[in-house]
Amino acid sequence: MPFEPLVKTGRELSGEEVTRYARHVLIPGVGRDGQERLAAARVLVVGAGGLGSPALLYLAAAGVGTIGVVDADVVELTNLHRQVIHSDADLGRPKTESAQAAVARVNPHVEVIRHDVTLDSANALEIIRDYDLVVDGTDNFPTRYLINDACVLLGKPHVWGSILRFDGQVSVWWKGHGPCYRCVFPEPPPPGVVPSCAEGGVFGILCAAIGSVQSTEAIKLLLGLGEPLTGRLLVHDALRQSWDTLTVRADPECPVCGDEPSITELIDYVEFCGVPGAPAAGEGAVPEVSVRQLVDELGGSRPPLLVDVRGTEERAIASIPGAVPIHLDRFRSGDAWGELPRDRRVLIHCKVGGRSAEATRLALRAGYVDVANVAGGVIAYLREIDPSQPEY
Amino acid sequence: MNVIVNGEERLVPPDTTVAGLVAALDLPSRGIAIALDRVIVPRSLWASERLSPGAEVEIVTAMQGG
């Protein structure tokens, strides 16, 4: 189905630029006209991370004239196995600054606009409004729903991709041309059920597969080329090396793009997506101990039982001596109660305290009285007590 | 009747709906999408859309990573 290019008029190219883009200009359908329109295009990439890295590099090389980058993080060592736009020398540098420098090395004709902020309900519409489309490479559910709703409200295409371990998903959501993200996933999974890449890991190269599909779709939309990925969800399995195509139709009852939407302005997305282990109505926060208190208690006359709710692979990187492994899933299923003493104080930890807060709450609901969460988890332990083990 | 769920055969009662399958598999009702013969079934139709014998069901879990 033919569709109108997002960019209607181009910017004249210099002779040097025509040569730079010659292999594009030679393609029927792109041509000099298409390349001039790319030079006038404005793309917003949210997240200069795993997916943002290949997307930014390829969009820059392709000659997209203006690229906005939204990211509030700095480059960390755990980023570098997949976030190829950043390098070892960029550690500690704001990701937008590192990305801007990398884009300048690839193509000095591209203007990068840095947005060193976390996208939120207060700034999203204002930021997105200035761009032709959004490439979504963020790393959390609240921002994904925020981008979706903002794009629906503004009528912008949302070039979306997500990854975990060996799996990737990619599509183009665009109200009026096909479904939106909420037509497929009206709500996120219950908090804590689907791990983030920081918890569950991600196969680094997967970012190239998914991020390159996103860049391809972005350029097709800008130029009106081929068939956009609207109405189709690609599901990629790197282990089977398979790409399944699922058809998605706009849901007339979609809460944001449907016939009678219940969401007509941006909402509080952190609240909407929920926080793992958050208290139910009538419950207070879970009791906490610091890692220093933990060490004191473990060295005392009646040491508590320390429980580690993380997975085997995480424990193999760094652990607190003496901790007994009981996975969070066993708290959720109730199997943990057979292993957890009721006559001894229990302290529970995970990586940074989120999953162990949920386990602590589940234990309290199951009738345990003397149980507390280790604030900051094993990472706090490594930083304050034992820096000899690696962080992750 | 038999249906195929993520590549594996599975016995379900006749006239099972998508919502019934989700409950029978003990899946969370949030954060997943169900495709019947490669077409995603909108959440608003889960309660009414019925599986036919031999239907290919694909369960897609939302992921947040990027």
Side-chain angles (χ1 to χ4, degrees):
Chain A
M1 190 175 68
F3 64 104
E4 290 287 309
L6 287 172
V7 183
K8 306 285 192 288
T9 48
R11 165 179 75 73
E12 201 173 332
L13 299 177
S14 68
E16 190 269 348
E17 286 177 284
V18 173
T19 305
R20 172 185 294 267
Y21 305 122
R23 301 297 182 271
H24 262 177
V25 172
L26 290 171
I27 308 175
V30 180
R32 184 159 179 161
D33 169 68
Q35 195 63 50
E36 289 184 345
R37 278 180 288 131
L38 277 184
R42 302 174 63 86
V43 170
L44 183 68
V45 177
V46 184
L51 297 173
S53 287
L56 286 162
L57 291 171
Y58 273 108
L59 292 171
V64 170
T66 304
I67 303 179
V69 190
V70 182
D71 208 310
D73 291 341
V74 297
V75 179
E76 294 182 22
L77 190 56
T78 55
N79 301 150
L80 296 183
H81 92 302
R82 67 192 185 286
Q83 299 183 13
V84 296
I85 199 166
H86 312 297
S87 64
D88 208 67
D90 297 316
L91 288 171
R93 215 175 168 193
K95 284 188 175 179
T96 55
E97 185 187 299
S98 167
Q100 185 177 39
V103 165
R105 285 193 296 273
V106 170
N107 188 345
H109 301 288
V110 177
E111 184 193 357
V112 171
I113 299 176
R114 290 172 54 186
H115 302 278
D116 294 6
V117 294
T118 301
L119 207 63
D120 62 26
S121 299
N123 62 24
L125 293 172
E126 194 186 335
I127 292 174
I128 293 172
R129 199 188 304 275
D130 284 341
Y131 294 91
D132 296 310
L133 61 81
V134 180
V135 173
D136 180 354
T138 186
D139 63 356
N140 63 86
F141 284 120
T143 311
R144 291 185 176 281
Y145 281 92
L146 166 65
I147 295 170
N148 180 71
D149 293 0
C151 284
V152 168
L153 294 174
L154 293 169
K156 305 274 186 187
H158 175 194
V159 184
W160 167 93
S162 66
I163 49 174
L164 179 65
R165 294 181 177 156
F166 295 104
D167 296 320
Q169 300 166 1
V170 55
S171 188
V172 172
W173 316 117
W174 194 7
K175 179 180 164 62
H177 300 258
C180 82
Y181 181 48
R182 284 186 191 257
C183 295
V184 180
F185 300 114
E187 297 162 323
V193 168
V194 175
S196 65
C197 292
E199 292 166 0
V202 60
F203 190 48
I205 303 159
L206 188 61
C207 301
I210 300 298
S212 74
V213 173
Q214 290 181 275
S215 320
T216 305
E217 290 306 309
I219 290 173
K220 284 165 58 186
L221 289 166
L222 295 169
L223 298 185
L225 288 174
E227 290 176 36
L229 195 55
T230 47
R232 288 178 288 155
L233 171 63
L234 298 188
V235 179
H236 175 50
D237 178 341
L239 291 182
R240 287 170 54 222
Q241 200 55 277
S242 62
W243 291 84
D244 287 349
T245 304
L246 304 175
T247 299
V248 190
R249 300 197 181 100
D251 182 0
E253 294 189 35
C254 173
V256 63
C257 82
D259 296 338
E260 292 174 22
S262 56
I263 297 163
T264 54
E265 57 184 29
L266 300 182
I267 60 173
D268 181 335
Y269 292 88
V270 174
E271 185 191 1
F272 169 68
C273 293
V275 177
E283 285 182 326
V286 297
E288 282 191 347
V289 296
S290 69
V291 287
R292 295 202 179 276
Q293 283 172 269
L294 166 71
V295 171
D296 288 346
E297 289 198 36
L298 289 174
S301 55
R302 294 187 57 194
L305 178 71
L306 177 63
V307 173
D308 182 349
V309 299
R310 297 173 302 152
T312 313
E313 292 79 8
E314 287 178 90
R315 295 202 312 275
I317 296 175
S319 56
I320 304 178
V324 174
I326 304 178
H327 196 277
L328 175 60
D329 287 345
R330 298 178 64 78
F331 285 80
R332 290 182 176 146
S333 66
D335 293 339
W337 315 140
E339 304 170 48
L340 216 57
R342 288 187 183 269
D343 55 355
R344 184 178 172 193
R345 178 163 165 78
V346 175
L347 300 179
I348 305 178
H349 88 86
C350 62
K351 181 184 177 187
V352 294
R355 284 170 286 170
S356 50
E358 181 184 350
T360 304
R361 182 164 306 288
L362 290 168
L364 289 168
R365 281 182 197 156
Y368 286 81
V369 179
D370 196 6
V371 52
N373 181 30
V374 178
V378 72
I379 296 297
Y381 179 82
L382 298 178
R383 291 186 182 167
E384 295 179 35
I385 311 289
D386 175 18
S388 72
Q389 299 184 70
E391 292 190 18
Y392 65 101
Chain B
M1 66 179 182
N2 278 319
V3 295
I4 299 160
V5 179
N6 281 10
E8 289 183 19
E9 282 214 18
R10 197 179 169 91
L11 188 64
V12 298
D15 284 341
T16 294
T17 61
V18 172
L21 181 75
V22 168
L25 296 174
D26 203 20
L27 295 170
S29 60
R30 301 163 42 123
I32 59 166
I34 307 287
L36 266 189
D37 297 322
R38 306 204 162 268
V39 181
I40 300 275
V41 180
R43 177 70 48 88
S44 57
L45 298 178
W46 277 16
S48 55
E49 189 93 356
R50 291 176 196 286
L51 277 56
S52 43
E56 277 188 45
V57 180
E58 192 158 344
I59 300 159
V60 183
T61 302
M63 307 186 297
Q64 56 189 325

